[in-house]
Amino acid sequence: MTLTSSAMEWPKRNEEAFQRGKRVLQSLECDALSFSSDDLLHLTLEIFLEQEFPKKVNVSEEKLKKFILCVRSCMFDNPYHNWFHAFDVTQTVYCMSLTGETYKTLTDVEYFALIVSALCHDLEHPGVNNPFLVSSRSDLATLYNDRSVLENHHCCRAFQLMLHSEIQLLSEFTNAQYIAFRAVVLNNILATDMARHGEYTTKLKRLTDPNTPPDDRKMDKQFEMEIIIKCADTSNVLQAFDCPILFVTLKSFRC
């Protein structure tokens, strides 16, 4: 993975747009498409700063900036799976984790991993789905043996980016922290494969069924994070009508 110098330049902040976005950053009223691509860089960074991740997990603000810039540069110019969608899902995950108080059940590293996994969940998405990649005998399908092709690719590229010599996002992590972080990111991104949707709805129905024994109705925190990112990935129906309408329109043309 080669990083270009232009991808590493942090843009000047538009204060009006930033303050407008910051006011709704923890709500479902944040409309990604009402901001510029550069505005979303600053708002993404603000999510990490609001939770004091530089201090809590020992990841510098400078490293975060490089990482966020490179995530943007790795999002292809698709009608739907693009940088705006990456931010939209990240911000929605952030909102849901606060509203449902999921963050209170997580360690700092786990919460950091939840936000990072949302940001990287569609990294280098080619704009087509897994069945297409498999049926067309694509290189990606061959590489990942036809199993969760896109999701495995997103995971791979995310860690290649984080571990890149010019970023080293996780260089201060202990081995135990890295293992915990990696497990959360991998599980969360792999959960976004819609081929596994039935698996999740079945488990959720059992968890909410009053006939299920009480001890079996407890939701573990990893499953809760996976549900949050899955919901955020398809969250347009939760937002005010004028926020997701363009996203929905663009996606309808790809179905």
Side-chain angles (χ1 to χ4, degrees):
M1 181 177 285
T2 303
L3 305 183
T4 62
S5 58
S6 60
M8 307 295 278
E9 297 174 4
W10 191 255
K12 183 178 179 180
R13 191 166 84 182
N14 179 323
E15 199 61 33
E16 182 279 325
F18 176 75
Q19 293 301 330
R20 176 166 57 87
K22 183 174 170 60
R23 286 194 293 271
V24 293
L25 200 56
Q26 297 184 12
S27 78
L28 291 176
E29 297 177 7
C30 186
D31 179 6
L33 295 175
S34 70
F35 298 94
S36 72
S37 176
D38 284 353
D39 293 337
L40 298 186
L41 291 173
H42 290 281
L43 291 173
T44 301
L45 177 64
E46 184 62 18
I47 290 174
F48 289 102
L49 297 183
E50 282 189 352
Q51 294 304 311
E52 300 181 335
F53 283 128
K55 180 175 69 175
K56 290 179 178 178
V57 299
N58 200 17
V59 173
S60 71
E61 184 174 335
E62 191 59 33
K63 285 184 178 181
L64 282 171
K65 286 180 177 179
K66 288 182 180 180
F67 176 61
I68 295 167
L69 279 166
C70 290
V71 168
R72 181 178 70 167
S73 72
C74 289
M75 295 303 299
F76 297 157
D77 189 22
N78 298 311
Y80 185 79
H81 295 99
N82 52 40
W83 167 237
F84 290 84
H85 172 68
F87 172 82
D88 185 52
V89 173
T90 303
Q91 185 273 324
T92 304
V93 163
Y94 183 48
C95 169
M96 294 177 71
S97 69
L98 295 173
T99 303
E101 299 188 340
T102 302
Y103 73 99
K104 291 183 178 180
T105 71
L106 306 176
T107 66
D108 292 334
V109 168
E110 289 169 339
Y111 194 23
F112 181 62
L114 173 60
I115 303 301
V116 169
S117 61
L119 187 61
C120 296
H121 84 284
D122 271 339
L123 204 63
E124 288 192 352
H125 197 297
V128 295
N129 59 21
N130 284 332
F132 178 87
L133 291 171
V134 172
S135 63
S136 64
R137 304 178 186 179
S138 69
D139 289 343
L140 282 181
T142 302
L143 179 63
Y144 296 113
N145 301 312
D146 298 347
R147 298 178 181 177
S148 299
V149 177
L150 287 170
E151 293 73 25
N152 274 300
H153 181 65
H154 304 325
C155 289
C156 174
R157 298 302 270 173
F159 275 93
Q160 287 179 336
L161 194 58
M162 286 184 267
L163 299 175
H164 194 283
S165 60
E166 293 185 44
I167 299 177
Q168 300 188 56
L169 187 71
L170 313 174
S171 62
E172 300 301 319
F173 276 24
T174 65
N175 191 50
Q177 286 177 318
Y178 178 79
I179 291 172
F181 174 88
R182 181 168 167 80
V184 171
V185 172
L186 294 182
N187 284 324
N188 287 351
I189 295 178
L190 290 172
T192 63
D193 183 355
M194 288 303 292
R196 300 179 60 196
H197 190 65
E199 167 191 334
Y200 283 90
T201 55
T202 298
K203 186 171 180 178
L204 273 176
K205 287 177 181 177
R206 178 167 173 74
L207 285 170
T208 57
D209 187 341
N211 295 319
T212 300
D215 289 344
D216 294 337
R217 291 208 301 265
K218 296 177 181 178
M219 184 183 294
D220 67 84
K221 58 185 178 180
Q222 179 55 54
F223 184 70
E224 186 172 347
M225 284 189 284
E226 291 168 21
I227 290 297
I228 286 175
I229 197 169
K230 282 178 65 64
C231 289
D233 199 19
T234 54
S235 65
N236 299 138
V237 293
L238 296 175
Q239 299 171 333
F241 183 77
D242 57 344
C243 287
I245 187 62
L246 183 54
F247 273 133
V248 173
T249 302
L250 290 171
K251 192 168 187 179
S252 68
F253 281 109
R254 300 201 59 81
C255 295

